[in-house]
Amino acid sequence: MDVLLVKRAQRRDMEAFVELMEKHKTGLYKVAKSYLRSEEDVADVMQETVLSVYEHIQELKSVSYFKTWMTRILINHCKDILRQQKRYLVSDQLPENIEEAPVNDREFYRLVGELPEDYRAVFLLYYGEGFHAREIAQILDMNENTVKSKLRRGRDRLKQVLCY
């Protein structure tokens, strides 16, 4: 259970911290990849995130929000890299080649690729990573009703795509 692992990691139990990072690395990778194109940038941001989480895990007030807190740190590091490189924020970049995605994710990425850019990150976090609208609002720094609206409108657009 994450809560117990987080509490152990807060006491600087290295095994618990490593287990937490292993458990969440795929989700972190997917979110980082949705922001950054370069595998090198993704690797850098993942490394920075792990270091930041390790350094600041004791400051986490509510251990039940660990995943949300960690994802927010990751997104902030992604935005930092994009600012440093003076590139436009591509908050919802999908894999350049859908064939590189795991087989069970290909259809999901194809469908999400049909959505407007500003809906993709919301869909990735909601359907791909299992976050709730409230958590996505915190992660993306937007109103919870905006998240719900993007989900509803995105589902409507996908219905149109699937019906034609």
Side-chain angles (χ1 to χ4, degrees), residues 38 52 56 71 82 138 150:
S38 159
S52 293
H56 300 283
T71 303
L82 290 169
Q138 290 173 345
K150 288 181 183 288

Side-chain angles (χ1 to χ4, degrees), residues 112-126:
V112 172
E114 298 289 331
L115 294 171
E117 290 182 15
D118 59 332
Y119 290 55
R120 291 180 190 164
V122 172
F123 263 68
L124 176 67
L125 291 170
Y126 187 81

Side-chain angles (χ1 to χ4, degrees), residues 87-108:
R87 292 192 288 195
Y88 292 108
L89 177 63
V90 182
S91 64
D92 32 61
Q93 182 69 36
L94 298 174
E96 292 177 25
N97 181 359
I98 291 177
E99 299 305 316
E100 293 173 6
V103 174
N104 56 343
D105 290 346
R106 289 180 187 161
E107 184 64 14
F108 172 73

Side-chain angles (χ1 to χ4, degrees), residues 2 5-7 9-10 12 17 20-21 24 28 31 48-77 125 131 134-140:
D2 269 3
L5 282 175
V6 173
K7 286 181 179 182
Q10 285 181 316
R12 295 295 187 216
F17 184 77
L20 269 173
M21 293 299 101
H24 294 288
L28 289 174
V31 173
E48 289 174 27
T49 299
V50 169
L51 181 60
S52 293
V53 168
Y54 181 75
E55 290 174 345
H56 300 283
I57 196 166
Q58 292 174 321
E59 298 167 21
L60 179 62
K61 291 176 177 65
S62 177
V63 294
S64 61
Y65 287 106
F66 173 76
K67 186 175 176 183
T68 302
W69 174 75
M70 178 179 59
T71 303
R72 185 72 200 157
I73 290 171
L74 175 83
I75 289 171
N76 287 337
H77 283 305
L125 291 170
F131 284 107
R134 178 181 35 81
E135 295 168 319
I136 295 169
Q138 290 173 345
I139 291 168
L140 298 178

Side-chain angles (χ1 to χ4, degrees), residues 10-49:
Q10 285 181 316
R11 291 189 305 264
R12 295 295 187 216
D13 179 336
M14 190 56 77
E15 279 185 36
F17 184 77
V18 169
E19 190 175 337
L20 269 173
M21 293 299 101
E22 284 294 319
K23 184 175 184 178
H24 294 288
K25 71 181 179 184
T26 302
L28 289 174
Y29 174 83
K30 289 178 183 179
V31 173
K33 192 64 177 169
S34 75
Y35 276 82
L36 306 167
R37 288 184 174 202
S38 159
E39 288 294 329
E40 292 82 15
D41 289 343
V42 170
D44 288 346
V45 85
M46 298 253 321
Q47 184 176 10
E48 289 174 27
T49 299

Side-chain angles (χ1 to χ4, degrees), residues 134-150:
R134 178 181 35 81
E135 295 168 319
I136 295 169
Q138 290 173 345
I139 291 168
L140 298 178
D141 196 25
M142 64 175 57
N143 186 294
E144 183 178 350
N145 288 330
T146 303
V147 171
K148 290 176 181 177
S149 166
K150 288 181 183 288

